[in-house]
Amino acid sequence: MQLEAIPGVGAKTAAALRELDDPAATVESGDVAAIARAPGVNEARAARIARGAIRRRHGDDGRVLATDRARELYREAIDLLRERTVTDYAAKRLETFYPSASASRIAEAQAFAADATVRDPDPAVREALADCAPLSDPPTVRVRDRCLATADAETLARAEAEVPELSVETVEDARDVSELGRSYASVIVLDESFAGLDVEGDVSVRPDALETPAETVPERLLAFFAENRERLEAAAAVHETAAAAGDPVSGDDPAGESDSDADPPVDLDRLRDALSRLDDDGTIAGDAELDRLTAAVDDLDAAVSTAASVADDRLREAIRERDVTIEGTDFLSLVEQGARVDSLLDRELADEYDAAVDAAREHLADALRLEPEEAELAERVFGGDPSFPVDHDESAVSRLRTELSAARDRRAAKLKADLASDLGDLREPVEDLVRDALELDVELAIARFARDFDCTLPEVVDPEDTDADAGFHIEGGRSPLLDVDFDEVEPVDYAVSGATLLSGVNSGGKTSTLDLVALVVVLAQMGMPVPAESATVERFEEIHYYAKSQGTLDAGAFEATLRDFGDLVDGADGRLVLVDELESITEPGASAKIIAGILEALDDQDATAVFVSHLAREIRDAAEFEIAVDGIEAAGLVDGELRVNRSPKKGHLARSTPELIVEKLADDRGGEFYGDLLEKF
């Protein structure tokens, strides 16, 4: 797969994507979180890349949203869905759903939505999702007590690229390897030619080391799990909570009863057990022996100092309690021989000195919790010629430190290797664990959207492959975009095939009807449920929605608007055109003629068009074909308020608000004046 062939992916982005383990498969999967792990690619960018890959897969090169107002309606539809997400991931993932002209893409998205709408948005599951987030890659861990070695330049370059955690050293012969063995705790030789090598130190020949990174550098795997501990625990909680609610994350059919026993992609108890053995910094946790050795190395100097103080205190007390008598000739002899206090100790307090040294050794062994073999080394720290204060052998301390450090490192290396082995086959399953939990949030957002707005999945038809009429047919549609509670929105039934004028009183709901139509069509071609009891929608190649102009346009703007409509009528077939009061762009007489001409051109192309206009009668008279006219009919004025039937009446020119007012005055007050005015309508 050529990454640069994806819409919106240039050479720089493609280079970043190639840093992923399997860039082609990752991009094709549409997994926004996985794509976002490419260097420099955030989740918003990842969503655009995923959307581009979807377009390429379905050969979907068109631009369905052809006008600013159409794109606004799409953003409002996406926002309604995004408001119902819990995680940032789901909010970005929803951006991969877009109005498509591809039948295969719409069917694919509808299949996803169909599974989603049978989900139960349980509050406990949504609460569990609050801590869920995509996995992240930890910073590279530098391991300084281990190295790789090779005599081959190509292997050297490969090792440096694939195992940045370890130093890679160049060697030519066994002597070079032996020197490395004295510098590093362990050395891994990558060349088969060194097989049978016999040198001191922890040196192994492993030509397959680059193919088995979990064994070669277990710290990489451990760092990944340590970095993502909270995310993994949160995803596990989502799976468990969803299963307890009877709507498990996993399973092909969330609505099926058999799926209540669906298992997550990883054994959660096993995962938690492995995580409990791992500290937040990627080191081993919970191993008493490793903790003992680590503490012994860290506390060695302090323990030696304290042990020496114990010996000093014992010896000081012994001296205080002992009367030492030295004859004059002996004292003179000791002075002449340059005797020091250690000579006196050796002669007069030998037993007490030995007891003090034994106390120091015992304290050192107890303080560091040394094993018998280690305690033997500790004994060498104190002893030798008597002295006060009691002295210690620094070389013996160094030897003890070396042995304890080596034991600690061996223990840590074994535990790391064991834990990495346990976690190795969980690496891919935990990716699925987290992705499934995050995808559940996407599904639950769609499910909540469908429930909140009484949605249904529409039928999207191709007029070339069906006997059904083209256009749209909406029953019981209610717009969630109105500034009233959704429960208070009156349902609308409306169907259009061909070019149609929509007439009606001011504030009767003509614009909101256009918004409803646009929203239903946009959602339908996204593959999403629509806010209606039922809906059938033609698969449109383009959606053109022109909002009401804010006042009469000047000559230049008027000319630009006409150019837009000229391009529109010269375009391809299969379009939905929604226009709100185009007559406001210029004088009413000219507007009626222009709109009539536009509708004639659209009718020739079998486009579906709805033009809202107060000039329906004039436009109909100016047109050279029989234009369909629908009307949002007002029942009348009641206590000064307009009463309207919100569903457009087919083949009906609705009365205007002035006509209704004149009619009311004629009924209330009578008289020739109001009667004559009414006749003029």
Side-chain angles (χ1 to χ4, degrees), residues 4-262:
E4 289 87 347
I6 298 172
V9 174
K12 184 176 179 180
T13 302
L17 293 174
R18 290 190 181 97
E19 295 293 320
L20 299 171
D21 289 339
D22 190 346
T26 301
V27 171
E28 283 286 353
S29 72
D31 187 337
V32 173
I35 297 172
R37 289 165 72 176
V41 177
N42 58 29
E43 286 188 346
R45 177 66 175 154
R48 292 193 293 272
I49 293 169
R51 190 165 57 241
I54 292 169
R55 285 186 176 276
R56 182 177 180 276
R57 187 170 70 247
H58 292 280
D60 191 5
D61 300 327
R63 189 184 186 190
V64 172
L65 302 171
T67 62
D68 289 342
R69 181 55 185 150
R71 288 185 283 274
E72 273 181 30
L73 256 296
Y74 167 63
R75 293 311 315 170
E76 291 179 35
I78 281 289
D79 287 344
L80 288 173
L81 288 159
R82 285 163 54 100
E83 288 168 4
R84 285 154 179 81
T85 62
V86 177
T87 63
D88 291 339
Y89 168 87
K92 297 294 190 300
R93 170 75 166 87
L94 284 167
E95 299 279 355
T96 64
F97 293 93
Y98 62 93
S100 173
S102 164
S104 60
R105 170 55 188 169
I106 294 172
E108 180 181 74
Q110 275 199 331
F112 182 89
D115 287 341
T117 53
V118 298
R119 288 283 189 190
D120 178 16
D122 188 282
V125 177
R126 298 189 68 246
E127 183 178 350
L129 279 165
D131 295 324
C132 209
L135 298 175
S136 64
D137 294 320
T140 300
V141 179
R142 292 297 301 175
V143 181
R144 305 193 183 281
D145 64 348
R146 189 179 325 126
C147 77
L148 301 176
T150 179
D152 180 68
E154 186 175 330
T155 303
L156 175 73
R158 182 187 168 200
E160 288 177 334
E162 295 184 12
V163 191
E165 296 90 346
L166 304 182
S167 295
V168 186
E169 307 287 351
T170 302
V171 293
E172 294 183 0
D173 50 32
R175 179 179 177 181
D176 292 341
V177 176
S178 180
E179 289 181 2
L180 289 177
R182 289 190 289 271
S183 301
Y184 290 91
S186 61
V187 179
I188 301 172
V189 183
L190 302 175
D191 303 343
E192 182 71 42
S193 59
F194 284 91
L197 184 69
D198 184 16
V199 296
E200 291 185 5
D202 183 5
V203 177
S204 60
V205 179
R206 288 178 46 209
D208 65 339
L210 299 183
E211 280 72 39
T212 55
E215 297 177 23
T216 303
V217 56
E219 291 85 356
R220 177 189 301 176
L221 191 63
L222 302 187
F224 169 82
F225 278 90
E227 173 79 9
N228 292 289
R229 178 197 301 277
E230 292 182 1
R231 296 172 175 87
L232 294 172
E233 291 174 344
V238 169
H239 281 261
E240 290 174 332
T241 307
D247 189 19
V249 177
S250 303
D252 295 332
D253 179 10
E257 294 182 2
S258 61
D259 279 349
S260 62
D261 296 325

Side-chain angles (χ1 to χ4, degrees), residues 179-464:
E179 289 181 2
L180 289 177
R182 289 190 289 271
S183 301
Y184 290 91
S186 61
V187 179
I188 301 172
V189 183
L190 302 175
D191 303 343
E192 182 71 42
S193 59
F194 284 91
L197 184 69
D198 184 16
V199 296
E200 291 185 5
D202 183 5
V203 177
S204 60
V205 179
R206 288 178 46 209
D208 65 339
L210 299 183
E211 280 72 39
T212 55
E215 297 177 23
T216 303
V217 56
E219 291 85 356
R220 177 189 301 176
L221 191 63
L222 302 187
F224 169 82
F225 278 90
E227 173 79 9
N228 292 289
R229 178 197 301 277
E230 292 182 1
R231 296 172 175 87
L232 294 172
E233 291 174 344
V238 169
H239 281 261
E240 290 174 332
T241 307
D247 189 19
V249 177
S250 303
D252 295 332
D253 179 10
E257 294 182 2
S258 61
D259 279 349
S260 62
D261 296 325
D263 294 326
V266 63
D267 184 327
L268 300 184
D269 290 337
R270 181 185 171 196
L271 174 62
R272 288 193 174 103
D273 174 69
L275 290 176
S276 71
R277 294 149 57 194
L278 186 63
D279 216 334
D280 290 339
D281 61 357
T283 58
I284 299 297
D287 183 76
E289 176 63 6
L290 179 61
D291 291 344
R292 182 189 72 81
L293 290 167
T294 301
V297 173
D298 294 342
D299 299 341
L300 178 58
D301 289 336
V304 168
S305 177
T306 302
S309 297
V310 168
D312 290 345
D313 291 344
R314 290 283 296 268
L315 200 54
R316 186 178 292 109
E317 186 65 24
I319 294 173
R320 286 197 187 102
E321 295 178 356
R322 179 76 176 274
D323 292 332
V324 179
T325 303
I326 304 177
E327 295 182 2
T329 54
D330 291 337
F331 180 74
L332 182 60
S333 175
L334 289 171
V335 170
E336 290 174 349
Q337 294 173 21
R340 296 171 303 175
V341 67
D342 53 357
S343 298
L344 293 174
L345 290 174
D346 188 32
R347 172 178 171 178
E348 300 294 334
L349 297 170
D351 292 340
E352 286 80 356
Y353 181 80
D354 290 342
V357 168
D358 287 342
R361 291 169 174 169
E362 182 178 351
H363 177 86
L364 182 61
D366 289 345
L368 300 181
R369 295 185 294 157
L370 300 179
E371 295 293 334
E373 316 84 65
E374 300 161 348
E376 290 180 9
L377 289 174
E379 289 182 1
R380 302 175 190 174
V381 173
F382 296 102
D385 295 333
S387 64
F388 185 83
V390 175
D391 199 3
H392 65 270
D393 186 344
E394 192 59 46
S395 64
V397 173
S398 179
R399 173 70 185 278
L400 179 58
R401 178 181 289 107
T402 299
E403 291 297 324
L404 290 172
S405 297
R408 177 201 59 192
D409 293 343
R410 285 193 301 271
R411 181 70 178 177
K414 180 181 183 305
L415 292 171
K416 286 179 183 179
D418 290 345
L419 183 53
S421 177
D422 290 345
L423 290 171
D425 60 348
L426 299 183
R427 180 63 176 81
E428 291 186 9
V430 298
E431 295 271 4
D432 295 337
L433 180 82
V434 174
R435 185 183 62 248
D436 290 349
L438 293 170
E439 284 293 302
L440 177 64
D441 191 23
V442 181
E443 295 180 39
L444 292 181
I446 296 172
R448 292 185 66 215
F449 173 82
R451 282 166 171 73
D452 290 348
F453 302 122
D454 295 335
C455 293
T456 186
L457 279 174
E459 182 181 5
V460 181
V461 300
D462 187 335
E464 296 179 358

Side-chain angles (χ1 to χ4, degrees), residues 558 583-597 615 618-619 621-622:
F558 177 68
E583 63 263 25
S584 62
I585 66 173
T586 188
E587 295 86 353
S591 293
K593 295 173 183 176
I594 291 169
I595 294 171
L615 303 177
E618 292 83 352
I619 295 168
D621 293 342

